Protein backbone atom coordinates (compact mmCIF):
# COMPACT_ATOMS: atom_id res chain seq x y z
CA UNK A 1 0.00 0.00 0.00
CA UNK A 2 1.10 3.54 -0.71
CA UNK A 3 -0.09 6.60 1.24
CA UNK A 4 0.25 10.22 0.19
CA UNK A 5 0.85 13.51 2.03
CA UNK A 6 0.11 16.71 0.09
CA UNK A 7 1.66 19.83 1.57
CA UNK A 8 0.53 23.40 1.99
CA UNK A 9 2.41 26.35 0.57
CA UNK A 10 -0.15 28.61 -1.05
CA UNK A 11 -2.32 28.57 -4.15
CA UNK A 12 0.67 28.23 -6.46
CA UNK A 13 1.36 24.77 -4.99
CA UNK A 14 -1.96 23.36 -6.24
CA UNK A 15 -0.81 23.36 -9.87
CA UNK A 16 2.56 21.76 -9.13
CA UNK A 17 1.04 18.98 -7.01
CA UNK A 18 -1.63 18.27 -9.63
CA UNK A 19 1.14 18.09 -12.23
CA UNK A 20 3.17 15.62 -10.17
CA UNK A 21 0.10 13.42 -9.64
CA UNK A 22 -0.71 13.56 -13.36
CA UNK A 23 2.85 12.57 -14.20
CA UNK A 24 2.70 9.66 -11.79
CA UNK A 25 -0.54 8.54 -13.46
CA UNK A 26 1.14 8.88 -16.87
CA UNK A 27 3.78 6.48 -15.57
CA UNK A 28 1.26 3.92 -14.32
CA UNK A 29 0.84 5.12 -10.74
CA UNK A 30 -2.74 6.30 -10.44
CA UNK A 31 -3.10 7.21 -6.75
CA UNK A 32 -6.84 7.75 -6.67
CA UNK A 33 -8.17 5.84 -3.66
CA UNK A 34 -4.81 5.77 -1.85
CA UNK A 35 -4.87 6.99 1.76
CA UNK A 36 -4.11 10.70 1.56
CA UNK A 37 -3.68 13.53 4.03
CA UNK A 38 -4.01 17.08 2.75
CA UNK A 39 -2.88 20.26 4.46
CA UNK A 40 -3.89 23.78 3.40
CA UNK A 41 -3.42 24.00 -0.40
CA UNK A 42 -2.80 20.26 -0.40
CA UNK A 43 -6.20 19.66 1.20
CA UNK A 44 -7.94 20.80 -1.98
CA UNK A 45 -5.77 18.61 -4.20
CA UNK A 46 -6.19 15.66 -1.83
CA UNK A 47 -9.98 16.02 -1.71
CA UNK A 48 -10.29 15.99 -5.49
CA UNK A 49 -7.92 13.04 -5.87
CA UNK A 50 -9.65 11.03 -3.13
CA UNK A 51 -13.03 11.74 -4.71
CA UNK A 52 -11.86 9.98 -7.86
CA UNK A 53 -10.98 12.91 -10.09
CA UNK A 54 -8.32 11.81 -12.58
CA UNK A 55 -5.25 14.00 -11.95
CA UNK A 56 -4.62 14.09 -15.70
CA UNK A 57 -8.03 15.71 -16.17
CA UNK A 58 -7.23 18.04 -13.27
CA UNK A 59 -3.98 19.03 -14.94
CA UNK A 60 -5.87 20.12 -18.05
CA UNK A 61 -8.41 21.97 -15.92
CA UNK A 62 -5.85 23.84 -13.82
CA UNK A 63 -4.08 25.33 -16.81
CA UNK A 64 -7.38 26.69 -18.17
CA UNK A 65 -8.28 28.62 -15.01
CA UNK A 66 -7.84 32.36 -15.65
CA UNK A 67 -4.95 33.88 -13.67
CA UNK A 68 -6.06 35.47 -10.42
CA UNK A 69 -4.04 38.07 -8.52
CA UNK A 70 -2.52 36.86 -5.32
CA UNK A 71 -1.06 39.67 -3.31
CA UNK A 72 -0.64 37.50 -0.24
CA UNK A 73 2.60 37.11 1.67
CA UNK A 74 3.64 34.70 4.38
CA UNK A 75 6.25 37.13 5.75
CA UNK A 76 4.00 38.70 8.39
CA UNK A 77 2.67 35.28 9.37
CA UNK A 78 6.17 33.92 9.80
CA UNK A 79 7.20 36.88 11.93
CA UNK A 80 4.11 36.50 14.11
CA UNK A 81 4.83 32.79 14.53
CA UNK A 82 8.40 33.36 15.65
CA UNK A 83 7.31 35.97 18.21
CA UNK A 84 4.31 34.05 19.52
CA UNK A 85 5.93 31.69 22.02
CA UNK A 86 8.31 28.80 22.47
CA UNK A 87 6.06 25.82 21.78
CA UNK A 88 3.98 24.89 18.75
CA UNK A 89 0.78 24.93 20.82
CA UNK A 90 1.50 28.44 22.15
CA UNK A 91 2.21 29.71 18.67
CA UNK A 92 -0.90 28.13 17.22
CA UNK A 93 -3.06 29.72 19.90
CA UNK A 94 -1.44 33.10 19.25
CA UNK A 95 -2.04 32.80 15.51
CA UNK A 96 -5.60 31.74 16.32
CA UNK A 97 -6.13 34.98 18.23
CA UNK A 98 -4.61 36.91 15.34
CA UNK A 99 -6.94 35.15 12.91
CA UNK A 100 -10.04 35.92 14.95
CA UNK A 101 -9.07 39.58 15.36
CA UNK A 102 -7.64 40.50 11.96
CA UNK A 103 -8.87 38.08 9.32
CA UNK A 104 -11.48 39.21 6.79
CA UNK A 105 -15.08 38.07 7.05
CA UNK A 106 -17.10 36.03 4.59
CA UNK A 107 -16.41 32.55 5.93
CA UNK A 108 -19.51 31.00 4.37
CA UNK A 109 -18.65 32.52 1.01
CA UNK A 110 -15.22 30.92 1.27
CA UNK A 111 -16.79 27.53 2.03
CA UNK A 112 -19.03 27.98 -1.00
CA UNK A 113 -16.06 28.71 -3.25
CA UNK A 114 -14.30 25.58 -2.02
CA UNK A 115 -17.46 23.53 -2.63
CA UNK A 116 -17.51 24.78 -6.22
CA UNK A 117 -14.00 23.35 -6.71
CA UNK A 118 -14.96 19.88 -5.43
CA UNK A 119 -16.88 17.20 -7.34
CA UNK A 120 -19.70 17.01 -4.76
CA UNK A 121 -19.44 13.28 -4.00
CA UNK A 122 -19.42 13.42 -0.21
CA UNK A 123 -16.48 12.56 2.01
CA UNK A 124 -14.07 10.09 0.36
CA UNK A 125 -13.13 7.29 2.80
CA UNK A 126 -9.42 7.58 2.00
CA UNK A 127 -9.21 11.32 2.77
CA UNK A 128 -7.86 13.08 5.87
CA UNK A 129 -7.72 16.86 6.19
CA UNK A 130 -5.68 18.78 8.78
CA UNK A 131 -6.80 22.00 10.51
CA UNK A 132 -5.97 23.81 13.75
CA UNK A 133 -8.44 24.70 16.51
CA UNK A 134 -8.09 28.49 16.68
CA UNK A 135 -8.58 28.66 20.46
CA UNK A 136 -6.89 25.55 21.85
CA UNK A 137 -4.12 25.32 19.24
CA UNK A 138 -4.87 21.62 18.87
CA UNK A 139 -4.23 19.90 15.58
CA UNK A 140 -7.41 18.22 14.33
CA UNK A 141 -7.62 15.51 11.68
CA UNK A 142 -10.96 15.48 9.88
CA UNK A 143 -11.96 12.24 8.18
CA UNK A 144 -15.05 10.39 7.02
CA UNK A 145 -16.01 9.61 10.63
CA UNK A 146 -15.94 13.27 11.67
CA UNK A 147 -19.35 14.04 10.19
CA UNK A 148 -18.09 17.30 8.66
CA UNK A 149 -18.89 18.36 5.09
CA UNK A 150 -15.72 17.95 3.08
CA UNK A 151 -15.87 21.49 1.69
CA UNK A 152 -15.98 22.92 5.22
CA UNK A 153 -12.99 20.87 6.37
CA UNK A 154 -10.97 21.84 3.29
CA UNK A 155 -11.86 25.51 3.75
CA UNK A 156 -10.75 25.30 7.39
CA UNK A 157 -7.45 23.72 6.40
CA UNK A 158 -6.87 26.61 3.97
CA UNK A 159 -7.86 29.41 6.41
CA UNK A 160 -4.57 31.32 6.50
CA UNK A 161 -4.67 33.78 9.42
CA UNK A 162 -5.25 37.41 8.32
CA UNK A 163 -5.70 36.34 4.67
CA UNK A 164 -8.80 34.14 5.00
CA UNK A 165 -11.44 33.90 7.73
CA UNK A 166 -11.50 31.13 10.35
CA UNK A 167 -14.06 28.46 9.48
CA UNK A 168 -16.62 27.25 12.00
CA UNK A 169 -17.03 23.50 12.39
CA UNK A 170 -19.29 22.15 15.10
CA UNK A 171 -19.34 25.44 16.99
CA UNK A 172 -15.55 25.86 17.01
CA UNK A 173 -13.35 27.98 14.75
CA UNK A 174 -10.52 26.41 12.76
CA UNK A 175 -7.56 27.83 10.90
CA UNK A 176 -4.87 26.73 8.50
CA UNK A 177 -3.55 23.21 9.05
CA UNK A 178 -0.01 24.21 8.03
CA UNK A 179 0.66 26.09 11.27
CA UNK A 180 3.49 24.00 12.60
CA UNK A 181 3.77 21.50 9.75
CA UNK A 182 3.06 21.88 6.07
CA UNK A 183 2.84 18.13 5.54
CA UNK A 184 1.51 16.37 8.68
CA UNK A 185 2.79 13.11 7.22
CA UNK A 186 2.96 11.56 10.69
CA UNK A 187 -0.79 10.81 10.60
CA UNK A 188 -0.19 8.22 7.87
CA UNK A 189 0.80 4.59 8.19
CA UNK A 190 1.64 2.54 5.10
CA UNK A 191 4.54 0.49 3.72
CA UNK A 192 5.40 3.48 1.53
CA UNK A 193 4.57 7.11 2.35
CA UNK A 194 5.01 9.58 -0.50
CA UNK A 195 5.26 13.25 0.47
CA UNK A 196 4.93 16.14 -2.00
CA UNK A 197 6.24 19.44 -0.68
CA UNK A 198 7.30 22.68 -2.38
CA UNK A 199 9.90 23.53 0.27
CA UNK A 200 13.62 22.82 -0.12
CA UNK A 201 15.06 20.05 2.08
CA UNK A 202 17.40 22.46 3.87
CA UNK A 203 17.10 26.15 4.55
CA UNK A 204 14.20 28.15 3.25
CA UNK A 205 12.78 31.33 4.69
CA UNK A 206 9.68 32.17 6.68
CA UNK A 207 7.31 29.23 7.16
CA UNK A 208 9.41 27.04 4.87
CA UNK A 209 12.09 26.78 7.55
CA UNK A 210 9.78 25.33 10.19
CA UNK A 211 7.92 23.21 7.65
CA UNK A 212 11.25 21.59 6.69
CA UNK A 213 12.11 20.99 10.34
CA UNK A 214 8.70 19.45 11.04
CA UNK A 215 8.96 17.21 7.99
CA UNK A 216 12.35 15.90 9.06
CA UNK A 217 10.83 14.90 12.41
CA UNK A 218 7.88 13.25 10.67
CA UNK A 219 10.13 11.26 8.36
CA UNK A 220 12.29 10.06 11.25
CA UNK A 221 9.20 8.94 13.17
CA UNK A 222 7.74 7.10 10.18
CA UNK A 223 11.01 5.37 9.42
CA UNK A 224 11.46 4.32 13.05
CA UNK A 225 8.01 2.74 12.83
CA UNK A 226 9.10 0.73 9.79
CA UNK A 227 7.57 2.83 7.03
CA UNK A 228 9.44 3.68 3.86
CA UNK A 229 9.27 7.40 3.04
CA UNK A 230 9.89 9.19 -0.24
CA UNK A 231 9.90 12.98 -0.01
CA UNK A 232 9.54 14.92 -3.27
CA UNK A 233 10.88 18.44 -2.73
CA UNK A 234 10.16 20.89 -5.53
CA UNK A 235 13.35 21.68 -7.41
CA UNK A 236 14.58 25.22 -7.93
CA UNK A 237 13.22 25.12 -11.46
CA UNK A 238 9.84 23.87 -10.30
CA UNK A 239 9.66 26.59 -7.65
CA UNK A 240 10.48 29.18 -10.29
CA UNK A 241 7.70 27.77 -12.49
CA UNK A 242 5.20 28.19 -9.65
CA UNK A 243 6.01 31.89 -9.45
CA UNK A 244 7.01 34.16 -6.56
CA UNK A 245 3.55 34.91 -5.14
CA UNK A 246 2.33 32.02 -2.95
CA UNK A 247 -1.31 33.08 -3.29
CA UNK A 248 -1.34 33.45 -7.09
CA UNK A 249 -2.15 30.84 -9.72
CA UNK A 250 -0.53 32.89 -12.50
CA UNK A 251 2.23 30.31 -12.96
CA UNK A 252 -0.15 27.35 -13.19
CA UNK A 253 0.62 26.26 -16.79
CA UNK A 254 4.37 26.20 -16.14
CA UNK A 255 3.94 24.62 -12.70
CA UNK A 256 1.73 21.83 -14.04
CA UNK A 257 4.20 21.07 -16.84
CA UNK A 258 7.17 21.03 -14.47
CA UNK A 259 5.32 18.89 -11.94
CA UNK A 260 4.20 16.46 -14.62
CA UNK A 261 7.77 15.93 -15.80
CA UNK A 262 8.78 15.29 -12.20
CA UNK A 263 5.93 12.83 -11.68
CA UNK A 264 6.82 10.83 -14.77
CA UNK A 265 10.44 10.60 -13.66
CA UNK A 266 9.38 9.57 -10.17
CA UNK A 267 7.08 6.83 -11.49
CA UNK A 268 10.00 5.39 -13.42
CA UNK A 269 11.98 5.10 -10.18
CA UNK A 270 9.31 3.15 -8.33
CA UNK A 271 9.11 -0.54 -9.20
CA UNK A 272 6.98 -3.52 -8.12
CA UNK A 273 8.35 -5.16 -5.03
CA UNK A 274 6.79 -8.03 -3.13
CA UNK A 275 3.39 -8.84 -1.69
CA UNK A 276 2.44 -6.21 0.86
CA UNK A 277 4.93 -3.74 -0.64
CA UNK A 278 3.63 -3.00 -4.14
CA UNK A 279 6.05 -0.11 -4.63
CA UNK A 280 9.63 0.51 -3.59
CA UNK A 281 11.47 3.78 -3.78
CA UNK A 282 14.73 3.42 -5.67
CA UNK A 283 16.09 6.97 -5.42
CA UNK A 284 13.99 9.38 -3.37
CA UNK A 285 13.78 12.78 -5.08
Amino acid sequence: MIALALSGGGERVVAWQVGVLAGLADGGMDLRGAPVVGTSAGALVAARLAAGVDPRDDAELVVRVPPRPGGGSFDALAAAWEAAGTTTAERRRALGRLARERSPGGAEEVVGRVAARLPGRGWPPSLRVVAIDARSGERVIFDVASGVPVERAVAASRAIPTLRPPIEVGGREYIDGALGSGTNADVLAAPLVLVLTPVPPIGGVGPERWWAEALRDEVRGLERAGHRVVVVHASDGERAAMGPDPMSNAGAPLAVAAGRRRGRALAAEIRPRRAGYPYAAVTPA
Side-chain angles (χ1 to χ4, degrees):
M1 178 190 296
I2 184 170
L4 183 64
L6 298 178
S7 172
E11 193 67 27
R12 64 180 177 178
V13 173
V14 170
W16 175 73
Q17 289 183 338
V18 166
V20 174
L21 293 170
L24 287 167
D26 290 340
M29 286 185 62
D30 187 341
L31 296 180
R32 285 176 289 177
V36 57
V37 59
T39 301
S40 199
L44 177 66
V45 181
R48 289 183 60 81
L49 181 75
V53 177
D54 191 320
R56 291 162 292 194
D57 294 338
D58 247 3
E60 295 179 6
L61 176 64
V62 167
V63 300
R64 294 198 304 267
V65 174
R68 294 184 298 272
S73 171
F74 293 160
D75 293 344
L77 184 66
W81 176 268
E82 295 292 345
T86 58
T87 69
T88 297
E90 288 174 345
R91 289 169 167 170
R92 284 171 171 165
R93 287 194 293 270
L95 269 291
R97 288 192 297 273
L98 185 69
R100 297 196 306 276
E101 294 169 359
R102 300 188 187 179
S103 293
E108 295 310 308
E109 181 181 351
V110 170
V111 173
R113 289 200 298 267
V114 170
R117 299 177 72 176
L118 298 177
R121 300 171 187 169
W123 192 288
S126 61
L127 175 66
R128 298 179 187 179
V129 172
V130 181
I132 304 298
D133 187 307
R135 293 187 181 276
S136 71
E138 177 187 8
R139 182 180 72 168
V140 176
I141 313 299
F142 293 113
D143 60 17
V144 67
S146 300
V148 177
V150 64
E151 64 272 15
R152 188 164 290 276
V154 171
S157 187
R158 289 163 52 86
I160 303 169
T162 74
L163 298 182
R164 293 176 177 151
I167 302 298
E168 183 177 322
V169 178
R172 301 189 69 84
E173 289 181 304
Y174 292 89
I175 54 176
D176 197 294
L179 295 175
S181 170
T183 46
N184 293 289
D186 56 319
V187 308
L188 295 170
L192 173 61
V193 176
L194 177 63
V195 183
L196 303 187
T197 174
V199 306
I202 299 175
V205 297
E208 290 188 346
R209 182 167 59 82
W210 28 275
W211 287 338
E213 292 171 356
L215 178 56
R216 286 194 290 271
D217 288 341
E218 291 161 11
V219 170
R220 283 194 288 264
L222 286 165
E223 290 179 339
R224 281 196 298 267
H227 306 296
R228 194 177 188 89
V229 184
V230 174
V231 180
V232 181
H233 296 276
S235 68
D236 290 343
E238 289 159 3
R239 287 165 58 86
M242 291 182 225
D245 187 337
M247 300 308 294
S248 174
N249 70 332
L254 292 176
V256 166
R260 199 159 189 170
R261 289 192 295 271
R262 184 66 173 277
R264 288 169 177 161
L266 179 64
E269 296 176 346
I270 298 178
R271 300 286 185 258
R273 203 177 184 193
R274 63 178 186 273
Y277 289 80
Y279 303 108
V282 178
T283 53

